[in-house]
Amino acid sequence: ERGGNNSFTHEALTLKYKLDNQFELVFVVGFQKILTLTYVDKLIDDVHKEFRDKYRNEFQQKGTLGLLNGTFDFKDDFMRLLRDAEESSKVRAPTVMKTFEQSLKSQKTVKCMIETRGEKPKEKVKNKKNKGSKKEGTEAVAAPGKASAGDKQSPATGDREELTKDEILQKNREEFFKRHMKAGEKSRSPKPEAQKEKGKKPRVWDLGNSNAKVLDYSNSATNGSAEACPVEEFDPDTALGDRNREPGRLYDLEYESDDEAEEEKVIQNPSKPSAKKGGLGGMFGMLKGLVGSKSLTREDMDPVLEKMKDHLIAKNVAAEIAVQLCESVAKKLEGKVMGTFTTVTSTVKQALQEALVQILQPQRRVDVLRDVMDAQRHRRPYVVTFCGVNGVGKSTNLAKISFWLIENGFSVLIAACDTFRAGAVEQLRTHTRRLNALHPPESHGGRTMVQLYEKGYGKDAAGIAMEAISYARNQGFDVVLVDTAGRMQDNAPLMTALAKLIAVNAPDLVLFVGEALVGNEAVDQLVKFNKALADHSMAQTPRLIDGIVLTKFDTIDDKVGAAISMTYITSKPIVFVGTGQTYCDLRSLNAKAVVAALMKA
């Protein structure tokens, strides 16, 4: 009962019990689990009360032995209580709804239901005055009817005192309406009709289309046909951004680092206060941080490492990973002999930078274009599966990668395997139309470069992916990009479905899409995604995440710690970085630029 549960289920039976601590009694009622008995709680309470009151004296005199040796004739009482409980549950019949004739609305006429602007305050005032005293009712109701334009401002002072504040406010409002709206009484009735005729005009967006026929895509569900995705007119600058870029090139991520002079200034800041004490004191203060041909100890590095750890956490590196990084740097530097004019801070910072660059450059490098050409030689499509949590930008970055592949001369089939989220298929359909508008078949020898394979909503995602891959093989597509539904890492059924999709279709590349805004959550997401893929895979060597797509990189300024957290956990490379909303906002990771942003003060 401490946990709030007083029932126990065993096979087809349910037991409910109640404790009596005074006489150390347990009352148990058993019934079939399939029955929904509403009177069980009442029955057990009544039996407890009846039994305790009937044998109270016997319990008090004989104690526990009386319970063990006594005989209790309680069958008749129990049957009576059971009948009462059953009858009480039958008495509570469901309430019957009133018929329309019984309701107050049936007594009203259509005329009295029509309210005009001037009459509404009057009715409220009358209702309030009827609830008050008789004196107020007789005098106050007559006052509005008799009031004229001349004597509105001269009511009886006695009436004014007897009225409440709310009634005075209502009266003043009524006078205001009469005074300012008397002239427009004749033109008041046609106003609602004019408003109805006018109606609400639909909003026309800048990049949209007001024609309903153009906006209706409900019938365009035919897979593999160019007519299913009609070309629409729009400004290419809004989709491409930079028009001066080199087509098909994946640019490196850039970051403008500070000047070396500013970095030196940051390092020398801690020694400035000691320089103010005097000439010799300032000189010794400058030399205090210099190690001078002695080996580094843990005590020397601890203050610097503590500051570095806090700095990394502030830059969105997961706390656990920041601690591990500082520990690895300490073990690497401990006992190392330093140069004469080298500070502990600069030495630790340099070692940490080298460690971070090494983390961001994993051993296995993913070269998508090379792998696609290799799949072409074997006459099969190259399959990429995107997975991740909700709202990280899987569909948007899939469209960016499609655009990049098309500009490199590869045809793409997009498999709409997110059959759960409302609007997911329509979103991919819109991207397909835009990409076909940017790269029309006329520019590629009559070949449609991107198509959408979709089967609607509520279907098995693994089955749709398998059909899409088979369709791409028959139609000669170079790449298949599989979009999956977003799912939280703790949702076991959805993680099992994802593992099934990957195990059944065996994609060439499994990309985890994560946003750069997360901190500690990045570790939890990647660990649990990899664990779920390993646990739910039927193969001896389960397929795990092969690479990472880091999105929303343009929203974080210099807080780039998520890149470190993700690569440190999985030892997998960051293949693509999303940096904006246009199709050209896709970059490859530049490890040195990320580390420069991370180490910025």
Side-chain angles (χ1 to χ4, degrees):
E1 281 190 324
R2 289 181 182 177
N5 187 17
N6 65 339
S7 64
F8 172 73
T9 302
H10 176 68
E11 295 180 356
L13 292 178
T14 297
L15 302 178
K16 278 199 171 184
Y17 60 87
K18 184 175 183 181
L19 304 179
D20 187 326
N21 294 324
Q22 184 179 358
F23 299 117
E24 298 182 351
L25 299 174
V26 182
F27 296 86
V28 183
V29 57
F31 56 94
Q32 291 185 6
K33 181 174 67 174
I34 197 170
L35 300 177
T36 54
L37 303 179
T38 58
Y39 59 82
V40 171
D41 293 325
K42 181 182 184 310
L43 175 64
I44 201 168
D45 289 339
D46 292 344
V47 170
H48 167 229
K49 189 181 295 183
E50 186 85 13
F51 188 84
R52 183 190 61 190
D53 294 344
K54 187 173 182 179
Y55 298 104
R56 179 188 296 271
N57 296 331
E58 192 173 341
F59 298 150
Q60 290 174 346
Q61 290 173 5
K62 297 181 182 180
T64 309
L65 291 174
L67 290 173
L68 297 175
N69 301 325
T71 57
F72 305 100
D73 185 15
F74 195 69
K75 185 174 181 180
D76 295 336
D77 297 323
F78 172 75
M79 296 306 296
R80 175 176 52 81
L81 293 172
L82 179 60
R83 282 194 301 271
D84 293 344
E86 289 175 344
E87 289 298 325
S88 67
S89 66
K90 292 178 183 177
V91 169
R92 297 174 185 172
T95 56
V96 182
M97 290 181 63
K98 288 182 179 180
T99 62
F100 179 73
E101 288 74 16
Q102 294 172 339
S103 64
L104 294 174
K105 187 176 279 189
S106 65
Q107 300 172 11
K108 295 182 179 180
T109 60
V110 176
K111 187 177 180 181
C112 72
M113 293 184 188
I114 301 172
E115 296 179 351
T116 57
R117 204 169 185 181
E119 291 175 359
K120 199 171 182 180
K122 288 182 183 178
E123 291 174 3
K124 288 186 178 179
V125 172
K126 287 179 182 178
N127 291 335
K128 286 187 177 179
K129 288 169 185 174
N130 288 334
K131 291 177 184 177
S133 62
K134 292 181 180 179
K135 292 181 181 178
E136 291 178 359
T138 53
E139 294 174 4
V141 173
K146 294 178 181 179
S148 60
D151 59 358
K152 279 172 189 169
Q153 298 178 355
S154 59
T157 55
D159 295 348
R160 184 72 78 162
E161 290 174 0
E162 289 178 359
L163 294 176
T164 62
K165 289 184 179 179
D166 292 337
E167 290 171 347
I168 293 170
L169 281 172
Q170 290 289 348
K171 192 171 182 180
N172 291 339
R173 285 177 187 171
E174 182 187 347
E175 292 172 357
F176 176 81
F177 279 124
K178 282 184 178 180
R179 187 165 58 249
H180 290 279
M181 302 178 76
K182 194 171 182 180
E185 281 181 356
K186 293 180 181 179
S187 60
R188 205 176 286 158
S189 55
K191 270 189 177 179
E193 294 177 4
Q195 289 177 355
K196 286 182 181 177
E197 290 174 3
K198 188 177 180 182
K200 184 178 179 181
K201 292 183 179 180
R203 182 170 183 177
V204 181
W205 298 93
D206 295 337
L207 299 176
N209 198 317
S210 59
N211 190 352
K213 293 181 180 178
V214 177
L215 296 174
D216 185 14
Y217 304 117
S218 57
N219 296 324
S220 58
T222 308
N223 292 309
S225 63
E227 290 79 17
C229 297
V231 176
E232 63 180 40
E233 296 180 0
F234 69 101
D235 185 10
D237 291 334
T238 61
L240 296 179
D242 185 12
R243 301 285 289 181
N244 299 321
R245 78 199 194 293
E246 183 182 338
R249 180 181 173 186
L250 193 64
Y251 288 89
D252 285 342
L253 195 67
E254 295 179 357
Y255 177 76
E256 295 181 1
S257 60
D258 295 335
D259 295 331
E260 291 182 2
E262 291 183 2
E263 292 181 2
E264 289 295 327
K265 189 177 181 181
V266 171
I267 294 172
Q268 292 176 5
N269 272 341
S271 63
K272 281 186 178 180
S274 60
K276 295 179 182 178
K277 295 179 181 177
L280 289 173
M283 181 63 69
F284 282 117
M286 288 174 59
L287 298 175
K288 191 176 180 181
L290 303 179
V291 180
S293 300
K294 73 168 244 185
S295 59
L296 274 176
T297 63
R298 189 61 183 261
E299 288 75 18
D300 295 332
M301 293 184 289
D302 276 344
V304 181
L305 287 171
E306 188 65 27
K307 289 181 180 177
M308 288 292 179
K309 183 192 76 175
D310 294 340
H311 177 76
L312 291 174
I313 293 173
K315 291 296 179 100
N316 261 2
V317 178
E320 180 186 350
I321 292 171
V323 172
Q324 293 176 11
L325 279 170
C326 292
E327 283 293 323
S328 65
V329 169
K331 289 177 182 177
K332 181 181 177 182
L333 293 179
E334 194 169 2
K336 185 177 181 181
V337 178
M338 309 303 298
T340 305
F341 294 99
T342 310
T343 62
V344 178
T345 303
S346 61
T347 304
V348 172
K349 187 175 180 181
Q350 182 64 29
L352 186 61
Q353 282 181 332
E354 292 172 1
L356 293 172
V357 171
Q358 192 174 359
I359 288 169
L360 290 172
Q361 293 176 339
Q363 297 175 355
R364 180 178 180 270
R365 183 171 178 268
V366 177
D367 191 337
V368 177
L369 297 180
R370 181 196 62 197
D371 294 341
V372 172
M373 288 188 284
D374 185 61
Q376 272 184 330
R377 285 193 290 272
H378 292 86
R379 296 183 178 179
R380 65 174 184 84
Y382 183 78
V383 183
V384 184
T385 298
F386 295 81
C387 63
V389 301
N390 310 70
V392 293
K394 291 183 293 298
S395 302
T396 302
N397 285 274
L398 180 145
K400 293 180 186 179
I401 294 169
S402 300
F403 178 76
W404 173 67
L405 289 167
I406 294 166
E407 290 212 322
N408 281 280
F410 299 114
S411 58
V412 178
L413 180 69
I414 300 174
C417 295
D418 184 354
T419 61
F420 177 74
R421 176 172 64 90
V425 178
E426 286 77 8
Q427 181 183 2
L428 291 176
R429 204 179 286 159
T430 302
H431 281 306
T432 306
R433 288 198 314 274
R434 290 288 176 94
L435 292 170
N436 277 322
L438 292 169
H439 287 276
E442 298 79 26
S443 304
H444 298 273
R447 185 186 183 190
T448 304
M449 295 303 289
V450 57
Q451 290 183 16
L452 177 66
Y453 190 92
E454 51 110 343
K455 290 290 184 183
Y457 294 97
K459 307 294 192 306
D460 179 36
I464 295 174
M466 183 180 290
E467 292 175 16
I469 294 169
S470 175
Y471 179 84
R473 189 181 290 110
N474 296 334
Q475 297 296 322
F477 282 92
D478 300 319
V479 184
V480 178
L481 301 181
V482 180
D483 184 32
T484 63
R487 63 204 76 211
M488 294 307 293
Q489 63 270 22
D490 298 317
N491 193 322
L494 292 181
M495 295 305 297
T496 306
L498 177 64
K500 174 191 170 186
L501 185 147
I502 292 173
V504 168
N505 295 288
D508 298 284
L509 186 65
V510 179
L511 291 179
F512 176 83
V513 184
E515 57 186 6
L517 300 168
V518 296
N520 292 321
E521 184 72 6
V523 178
D524 190 52
Q525 288 174 7
L526 276 165
V527 167
K528 289 186 177 176
F529 261 81
N530 260 337
K531 185 176 183 299
L533 294 179
D535 291 347
H536 301 298
S537 177
M538 306 302 291
Q540 290 183 348
T541 55
R543 187 63 184 279
L544 303 179
I545 292 168
D546 299 317
I548 299 165
V549 179
L550 196 60
T551 66
K552 306 178 186 178
F553 208 79
D554 54 317
T555 64
I556 56 170
D557 194 22
D558 58 353
K559 291 180 171 57
V560 295
I564 300 293
S565 301
M566 290 182 179
T567 49
Y568 187 88
I569 283 295
T570 58
S571 299
K572 301 296 181 183
I574 295 177
V575 185
F576 300 105
V577 180
T579 59
Q581 296 296 315
T582 68
Y583 290 131
C584 294
D585 290 326
L586 195 69
R587 300 286 185 270
S588 63
L589 188 77
N590 183 351
K592 292 183 178 178
V594 172
V595 172
L598 194 65
M599 299 305 291
K600 178 185 175 183

